[in-house]
Amino acid sequence: MSSDSIIIIPTYNEIENIEKIVNAIFSLEKKFDILVIDDGSPDGTAQAVKRLMSTTYEGRLHLVERKGKLGLGTAYITGFKWALEHGYDYIFEMDADFSHNPLDLKKLYEACSVEGADLSIGSRYCKGISVVNWPIGRVIMSYYASVYVRTVLGM
């Protein structure tokens, strides 16, 4: 563990994005580790992560390979368990496709580490809808999924 914080990134066929998102996170001023949970991507995503692990980001980039497409929810559970077993104080989750901005990680980290929050949630719906390069169908689905979750959880 080289940091008190780790970012969990679940992947399936993210060969086009994985190196870019890893480099973007590791270029931040705040030092984060990364755990990629790959669900057997046939496009070589896991191999790209292994290459980065052995050359550029040894000790900071980690990989859990799962056999088959087991789903986003179980990927996060696997990642959270791994992070807790390895002693991380702060655990983040984000997608590999830049639908979450790596620059927001600093604000989320500081909300907990400096301001003392127990939980910090970044949402693209805090100030209207803020997404880039999404088809309208995905925006609508994401928005209504968020409404549904708020209604069910009472948040």
Side-chain angles (χ1 to χ4, degrees), residues 43-150:
D43 69 350
T45 300
Q47 289 75 15
V49 172
K50 287 178 187 175
R51 183 179 42 74
L52 291 170
M53 287 171 62
S54 67
T55 57
T56 313
Y57 301 119
E58 187 174 353
R60 294 186 63 200
L61 178 60
H62 310 279
L63 173 67
V64 171
E65 291 182 86
R66 303 191 316 164
K67 301 222 184 296
K69 201 169 179 186
L70 301 176
L72 187 61
T74 62
Y76 282 131
I77 291 168
T78 298
F80 282 119
K81 285 180 180 178
W82 190 98
L84 292 171
E85 289 169 2
H86 288 83
Y88 287 93
D89 295 321
Y90 302 98
I91 305 169
F92 302 85
E93 58 183 59
M94 65 187 304
D95 294 338
D97 66 359
F98 287 90
S99 60
H100 304 118
N101 187 343
L103 296 175
D104 291 332
L105 288 166
K106 180 181 178 190
K107 292 184 272 188
L108 295 168
Y109 174 80
E110 289 178 353
C112 295
S113 68
V114 176
E115 298 171 28
D118 292 326
L119 177 68
S120 178
I121 299 173
S123 172
R124 58 184 61 92
Y125 303 111
C126 288
K127 296 176 183 171
I129 298 174
S130 174
V131 293
V132 179
N133 297 326
W134 275 18
I136 191 66
R138 184 173 178 189
V139 172
I140 291 168
M141 182 184 73
S142 177
Y143 177 77
Y144 283 107
S146 177
V147 169
Y148 173 78
V149 168
R150 278 197 312 274

Side-chain angles (χ1 to χ4, degrees), residues 10-34:
T11 58
Y12 184 77
N13 286 344
E14 290 289 350
I15 192 68
E16 292 182 21
N17 297 316
I18 194 62
E19 190 166 349
K20 294 174 197 164
I21 195 74
V22 166
N23 288 332
I25 292 167
F26 285 148
S27 71
L28 297 172
E29 183 179 326
K30 162 72 178 119
K31 194 174 189 180
F32 293 96
D33 287 355
I34 298 173

